[in-house]
Amino acid sequence: MHPRFSDFAEHLKARRLAPNTLTPYLSELKRLDKYLDAEGILLEDFTLQQATHYLVREGRSSHTARRTLTVVNQFLSWAGHPLAAELGAMRQPRAYTPAPDYLSDAEEAALRKTLKARTDLKCQARDRALFCLMLDTGIRVAEVARMTVGDVNLDEKMIRLVAKGDKKRTRFVPVETRDLLKRIVGSRPAEEPLFLTWKERAICDRHIRRLLNQWAELAGITRPVHPHLLRHTFATSLLRKTNNLRLVQVALDHESPKTTAIYSHVADEELRAAIESRRD
């Protein structure tokens, strides 16, 4: 890899971006480095025409093209490349953002019921607390994996977490989930990871994904289920109950309301239902 790409990759890692953000960025850098090498283009001679060809090649989707343009422009700006200004002025391709997938009310109820029915083992009690916490707060899988015992403040009815971008945040936890956390916290040291594997190690993202799939299968959910689906489920449910997109934005820690706008599917569903029932 070109030294400037390697330096920028280290710069991104030093920013401690979330893995789901960092991994695509690094992949884009590797692809661009490979493209320049294959085409025999020196980085300092990279032109707007060549950059445009790179952005639209191989039938990229509009979403991927937008991400690529963002990463390439950030790299060139960091490197002080004159092409950065031209790319910055380029209109980004429009991306179609589908409505987020989430658990239906029946699926969520089945998952909670299954978790509640199997708590005899220590790991089962842990799993119930873990997934109910995610369903009731909308926190990300990386955030919950980083939590320590000291991040749980049952007196204040809150948890502390390190959110995306290393931001310190707090979240309110409803009473039933607080009770579940109380059982697994006990008198453990504050610095100990909140959720542990059976080997007494901090649980990781991959482990959480595997556990969730197992519990979803036990609950009779026949489609793939991933942790971010729980976040979407929380946001969808909150918006239905409050009809307040701003509250959802705050709850999810979105900096821009445009990010939260993906949950407008709730309003669309209610509009369809209203139209259907208008003549009833």
Side-chain angles (χ1 to χ4, degrees):
M1 181 179 282
H2 190 286
R4 296 299 278 164
F5 285 109
S6 299
D7 291 345
F8 186 61
E10 291 305 314
H11 165 72
L12 291 176
K13 292 175 184 177
R15 287 172 56 191
R16 299 183 66 183
L17 299 174
N20 290 344
T21 301
L22 180 61
T23 301
Y25 269 49
L26 297 180
S27 296
E28 288 293 350
L29 288 177
K30 290 178 182 177
R31 274 193 284 268
L32 178 58
D33 181 56
K34 186 176 180 181
Y35 169 79
L36 294 177
D37 185 59
E39 297 292 327
I41 301 169
L42 297 176
L43 178 60
E44 52 270 27
D45 296 333
F46 197 29
T47 67
L48 181 61
Q49 182 179 5
Q50 291 165 340
T52 302
H53 174 260
Y54 172 72
L55 290 169
V56 301
R57 83 196 205 290
E58 297 176 1
R60 291 173 182 264
S61 68
S62 57
H63 177 80
T64 303
R66 284 167 62 91
R67 184 186 66 199
T68 302
L69 178 56
T70 297
V71 175
V72 171
N73 196 39
Q74 285 187 12
F75 165 68
L76 294 175
S77 297
W78 173 86
H81 198 291
L83 180 56
E86 295 180 84
L87 279 182
M90 183 181 290
R91 185 177 179 182
Q92 293 206 2
R94 284 182 133 182
Y96 165 68
T97 305
D101 195 11
Y102 58 95
L103 294 176
S104 68
D105 291 345
E107 288 173 330
E108 181 180 356
L111 179 59
R112 288 183 184 270
K113 182 178 179 181
T114 304
L115 287 164
K116 186 176 182 179
R118 293 174 169 85
T119 55
D120 294 335
L121 301 179
K122 186 177 179 180
C123 63
Q124 293 173 333
R126 173 207 62 194
D127 292 352
R128 186 185 178 199
L130 167 65
F131 294 123
C132 285
L133 180 64
M134 295 180 73
L135 281 166
D136 289 336
T137 62
I139 63 176
R140 301 175 178 90
V141 64
E143 295 166 354
V144 78
R146 287 190 206 130
M147 288 181 64
T148 65
V149 172
D151 290 328
V152 179
N153 189 330
L154 296 173
D155 293 333
E156 296 293 329
K157 306 175 183 178
M158 306 287 282
I159 56 169
R160 293 191 304 266
L161 55 92
V162 180
K164 203 171 182 180
D166 265 357
K167 294 176 290 188
K168 305 294 190 299
R169 293 288 186 264
T170 59
R171 291 287 183 273
F172 170 77
V173 182
V175 60
E176 184 177 359
T177 302
R178 291 201 305 271
D179 290 341
L180 298 177
L181 290 175
K182 185 177 181 179
R183 294 173 201 168
I184 68 167
V185 165
S187 57
R188 292 162 57 198
E191 67 277 6
E192 190 173 279
L194 179 59
F195 296 106
L196 297 169
T197 66
W198 67 273
K199 292 183 178 180
E200 301 294 311
R201 296 174 183 168
I203 201 166
C204 66
D205 299 14
R206 186 177 298 176
H207 194 168
I208 294 173
R209 288 185 173 88
R210 186 166 63 248
L211 288 172
L212 180 57
N213 271 308
Q214 291 171 355
W215 281 106
E217 186 176 348
L218 284 172
I221 301 173
T222 56
R223 61 194 179 100
V225 175
H226 53 85
H228 213 66
L229 198 99
L230 305 188
R231 181 171 168 85
H232 290 323
T233 302
F234 165 79
T236 299
S237 177
L238 184 62
L239 185 55
R240 279 180 175 149
K241 284 179 168 57
T242 66
N243 198 30
N244 189 327
L245 204 58
R246 171 59 183 163
L247 282 180
V248 177
Q249 180 188 344
V250 173
L252 295 181
D253 196 35
H254 286 163
E255 292 187 1
S256 169
K258 292 181 180 178
T259 309
T260 318
I262 62 170
Y263 297 104
S264 59
H265 67 279
V266 173
D268 293 339
E269 290 169 1
E270 292 177 350
L271 176 60
R272 285 196 294 269
I275 291 173
E276 286 285 354
S277 62
R278 188 176 68 89
R279 301 293 296 273
D280 290 350

